[in-house]
Amino acid sequence: MKYLFFVGLWPEKTLTGYQKVFYKIYEFFIHFLTITFLTLAGIGTYQHKDDLVVVFSNLDKCLVVYNFLFKTIIFVIKRDKLRDLIDEIEMSGDEVTEERKKLMANYVVLLTGISAAVVGAFSLLALYEGTMSIEAWLPFDPMESLRNQILSLQILAFCVFPGLCRAFAMQGLVCSMIMYLCDQLIHLQKEMATLDNLTEAEMRMKFKKIIIKHIRLMGYSMKMENIFKEYFLVQNLAVTVELCLNAVMVTVVGVQQITLLITFLAYLIVALINAYVYCYLGNELIIQSQGIALAAYESTWTSWPVDLQKDLLILIGAAQRPLKLSAGGMALLSIETFSQALYNGYSIFAVLNDAVN
């Protein structure tokens, strides 16, 4: 949330009236920078419409920014609901280990560093080769001199990088919330295993707390699905289109332009890693939520009172419907969905390639 605050997506409640106004201006300024980049790149793409390689290269890079922009818009629309959910989680009393907190923070920092390194490396490579990393309209000729080229790269980086940081901040928060749910489900499974050595009164009390917490986590999961379903839909569609576009580019460019091919593959790998992280965590949420039913069944329920056995049966029935996140309500966030997105991207490419041939 600190990262989100710094990139203009999470105004703190402690801000005064004037601070809220300035923060809102700052938020819209970063929106403006992202839209400016897409506008300049769009004009540059149109100016080079006869060069198929330049057009596809620009589309490949702009697709990433469009993906981040649409997810930012969805995040801003759902921000109040998300804030209410986070406040509810914070007041729940659930504990998050220091190790998990460090993992959440390090993930965001590592993701930002890797993406910045990839973008920076290819920008420096373009500078070394005397080309533009992305063709965009500027009020001066970027290729007139080295100074102009450096200035143009700085302008484009200034416009696009805050939007990229916003995407990493959002991804960090979303992944952290999914990891929180998985950790709490694992904690419930461990709590189920400790019911064996308790007195009946203690067991009843602890079992009641387990059921209450399980119901609460189910509510969190449903709220998260409602908040992020459009967000994950954009992510899923972006990966499919990105894969299709890169496959087309490999066939169009050829091995002669090895630098350009490496650029496409590098951006594709980063996009696939980001998508895989979402799907892996979504898959883990399904597995751990189903693990509640297994942990309940493996308890010594045969020696329990009949009323508790009936309650346990209800818990097992509820846990067999796994907690899940979906992409627009159409596909579960899982490893299978990730594989399906890759298959869809290749299928679209194969159809287009056959049509062209």
Side-chain angles (χ1 to χ4, degrees):
M1 289 188 291
K2 288 181 180 178
Y3 197 166
L4 284 169
F5 172 77
F6 291 137
V7 296
L9 286 180
W10 201 259
E12 294 181 351
K13 296 179 180 179
T14 57
L15 296 179
T16 63
Y18 286 112
Q19 288 175 334
K20 290 180 179 178
V21 172
F22 285 121
Y23 192 86
K24 182 62 70 174
I25 294 173
Y26 171 62
E27 178 181 342
F28 279 102
F29 176 68
I30 299 183
H31 290 328
F32 173 76
L33 288 179
T34 305
I35 294 173
T36 299
F37 171 82
L38 292 173
T39 302
L40 296 178
I43 297 173
T45 303
Y46 179 77
Q47 290 177 335
H48 296 81
K49 60 182 182 296
D50 296 329
D51 190 336
L52 191 60
V53 173
V54 172
V55 170
F56 275 104
S57 177
N58 274 24
L59 287 177
D60 181 59
K61 297 178 178 66
C62 288
L63 177 63
V64 177
V65 183
Y66 274 115
N67 175 23
F68 294 161
L69 176 62
F70 287 138
K71 288 195 291 190
T72 300
I73 294 172
I74 294 169
F75 184 89
V76 172
I77 293 173
K78 299 293 185 74
R79 183 167 55 191
D80 291 338
K81 292 182 179 180
L82 179 59
R83 187 188 293 275
D84 292 339
L85 175 58
I86 291 177
D87 290 342
E88 187 177 348
I89 291 174
E90 289 180 338
M91 292 186 295
S92 67
D94 294 335
E95 294 184 1
V96 180
T97 63
E98 290 298 323
E99 181 181 358
R100 178 61 74 188
K101 291 179 182 178
K102 290 180 180 179
L103 176 62
M104 293 173 178
N106 292 338
Y107 170 72
V108 177
V109 174
L110 179 64
L111 183 63
T112 305
I114 292 176
S115 301
V118 170
V119 174
F122 286 112
S123 296
L124 291 176
L125 181 61
L127 184 64
Y128 174 77
E129 294 182 344
T131 60
M132 292 289 292
S133 58
I134 182 170
E135 293 294 341
W137 177 86
L138 292 168
F140 56 87
D141 184 5
M143 308 311 299
E144 184 177 354
S145 64
L146 180 61
R147 183 179 63 181
N148 283 10
Q149 188 181 3
I150 295 175
L151 179 60
S152 64
L153 291 174
Q154 289 175 336
I155 292 174
L156 294 176
F158 179 74
C159 289
V160 73
F161 196 69
L164 299 182
C165 290
R166 281 183 162 186
F168 306 144
M170 290 186 294
Q171 182 168 351
L173 179 63
V174 173
C175 292
S176 296
M177 295 181 70
I178 301 175
M179 284 191 281
Y180 155 78
L181 283 179
C182 292
D183 288 345
Q184 298 307 313
L185 290 169
I186 293 173
H187 178 261
L188 281 184
Q189 295 174 37
K190 293 179 179 178
E191 289 290 292
M192 288 294 304
T194 61
L195 293 175
D196 300 339
N197 302 321
L198 301 177
T199 64
E200 182 178 335
E202 291 173 336
M203 183 178 63
R204 286 181 179 275
M205 181 62 67
K206 194 165 188 178
F207 187 57
K208 179 180 178 181
K209 291 181 179 179
I210 289 174
I211 292 178
I212 292 174
K213 184 171 182 177
H214 186 238
I215 293 173
R216 180 162 53 82
L217 293 179
M218 290 170 63
Y220 293 164
S221 175
M222 287 187 289
K223 290 179 181 178
M224 284 182 61
E225 183 178 10
N226 181 58
I227 292 171
F228 293 119
K229 60 183 179 181
E230 294 88 0
Y231 178 96
F232 291 132
L233 178 62
V234 171
Q235 173 69 35
N236 195 39
L237 292 175
V239 171
T240 301
V241 176
E242 179 81 12
L243 181 63
C244 177
L245 185 61
N246 276 267
V248 172
M249 279 307 304
V250 170
T251 60
V252 170
V253 173
V255 295
Q256 292 79 10
Q257 296 174 284
I258 187 66
T259 302
L260 195 57
L261 280 176
I262 293 175
T263 304
F264 286 128
L265 293 177
Y267 283 116
L268 176 61
I269 290 172
V270 172
L272 291 179
I273 291 175
N274 291 340
Y276 178 79
V277 169
Y278 282 129
C279 292
Y280 172 80
L281 291 175
N283 198 76
E284 190 69 14
L285 179 62
I286 294 173
I287 293 173
Q288 297 305 333
S289 62
Q290 291 177 328
I292 299 294
L294 180 61
Y297 179 75
E298 290 179 345
S299 63
T300 57
W301 55 270
T302 54
S303 60
W304 290 12
V306 175
D307 61 324
L308 280 184
Q309 291 183 7
K310 293 179 179 179
D311 293 339
L312 184 70
L313 185 60
I314 296 174
L315 175 63
I316 292 175
Q320 286 177 337
R321 298 178 59 187
L323 307 186
K324 57 183 174 53
L325 298 171
S326 68
M330 295 184 291
L332 293 182
L333 211 63
S334 63
I335 299 299
E336 182 180 354
T337 301
F338 179 76
S339 303
Q340 187 64 42
L342 299 183
Y343 175 77
N344 291 340
Y346 178 77
S347 298
I348 296 171
F349 158 71
V351 171
L352 291 175
N353 191 48
D354 289 342
V356 171
N357 293 334

